[in-house]
Amino acid sequence: LGRSRAPTHLAMRLARRTRAVATVKKSQGRVRRRSQSGAGSTSTKRGVAATAFMRGALLLLLPAFSSVVVAETIAQRSEFQFCVTIPSTCTELEVQSNALTGTLPTELGRLTALSRLYVFNNYLTGTVPTEFRLLTRLIELEINNNADLCGFLPSGLKDQSVSLSGTSLGAACGSSGASPPPPSPPPSPSPPSSAGGSSSSMEEKGEASLILPLG
């Protein structure tokens, strides 16, 4: 009877140990799952914070990128390219206030049907091309507020309505633009010297004394 109870007792002890090991493994699995979920939530929070930071940085840099993109020349504008393609139908060209750089294209002289040209409030440089004299139908030319435009207008544009304020047009490029000083007046003739006058008067008196009769 004692022998029969011993194996039963051992089996019970083994079963208890098995259940204890299983419980420990379950608890370890729970801890691992919790740690993994915590790490996942932390990484998610970090990802959200990084995304928010990148968005803020892009918003701060957007004005600089915009200025770089906007800085272009007249020749790159779609309006100008359209007019050059069919110049006989282009009567107006408006590219004002676009932060344009560079010079006035000589191809503008081919737009013989152009009656109004607006290029003011930009950053244009150089001179007005001589080809502008071909724009015989031009009645309005506004190129004001382009501080680095210099030189003189072609002769054919003098009778047109031209706005030149805020430019250096009318003065040679590289000059200060100041008008030359007025010429000095011619020197006035100097009056006769007093010595010469006294000698001449004495001579006159001497001649008069010679005429007087002796008393």
Side-chain angles (χ1 to χ4, degrees):
L1 182 61
R3 291 178 181 178
S4 63
R5 289 180 178 178
T8 305
H9 183 67
L10 290 173
M12 293 176 64
R13 291 178 64 183
L14 288 172
R16 290 174 183 173
R17 289 181 180 178
T18 302
R19 287 196 295 271
V21 170
T23 303
V24 171
K25 288 183 177 180
K26 288 181 179 179
S27 61
Q28 290 177 350
R30 291 173 183 172
V31 170
R32 289 176 183 174
R33 286 193 294 272
R34 289 177 182 175
S35 62
Q36 290 176 355
S37 63
S41 61
T42 303
S43 62
T44 302
K45 291 178 181 178
R46 289 178 181 175
V48 171
T51 303
F53 174 78
M54 291 298 294
R55 287 178 179 175
L58 288 175
L59 288 175
L60 290 175
L61 295 175
L62 186 60
F65 289 144
S66 299
S67 62
V68 171
V69 172
V70 170
E72 57 183 351
T73 63
I74 293 179
Q76 293 173 333
R77 298 288 298 183
S78 59
E79 302 95 324
F80 171 78
Q81 295 172 1
F82 173 78
C83 284
V84 171
T85 304
I86 44 176
S88 59
T89 60
C90 181
T91 59
E92 293 186 6
L93 180 57
E94 300 182 11
V95 289
Q96 72 275 8
S97 303
N98 282 295
L100 300 177
T101 59
T103 60
L104 290 165
T106 57
E107 291 83 1
L108 286 171
R110 295 170 49 192
L111 309 180
T112 54
L114 200 64
S115 61
R116 289 176 174 83
L117 176 59
Y118 304 110
V119 294
F120 58 90
N121 292 340
N122 285 303
Y123 301 99
L124 301 177
T125 58
T127 60
V128 178
T130 57
E131 287 80 2
F132 271 44
R133 70 179 186 276
L134 303 176
L135 304 178
T136 56
R137 299 184 183 180
L138 192 65
I139 59 175
E140 230 180 306
L141 173 60
E142 295 192 7
I143 54 179
N144 48 298
N145 296 331
N146 286 284
D148 293 327
L149 278 178
C150 58
F152 301 93
L153 294 176
S155 58
L157 291 176
K158 290 183 178 179
D159 297 331
Q160 313 299 334
S161 175
V162 184
S163 298
L164 304 179
S165 60
T167 69
S168 298
L169 290 168
C173 295
S175 65
S176 60
S179 58
S184 58
S188 58
S190 59
S193 59
S194 59
S198 60
S199 61
S200 61
S201 61
M202 289 176 66
E203 291 177 356
E204 291 176 357
K205 291 180 180 178
E207 292 176 356
S209 62
L210 292 174
I211 301 172
L212 292 175
L214 295 175

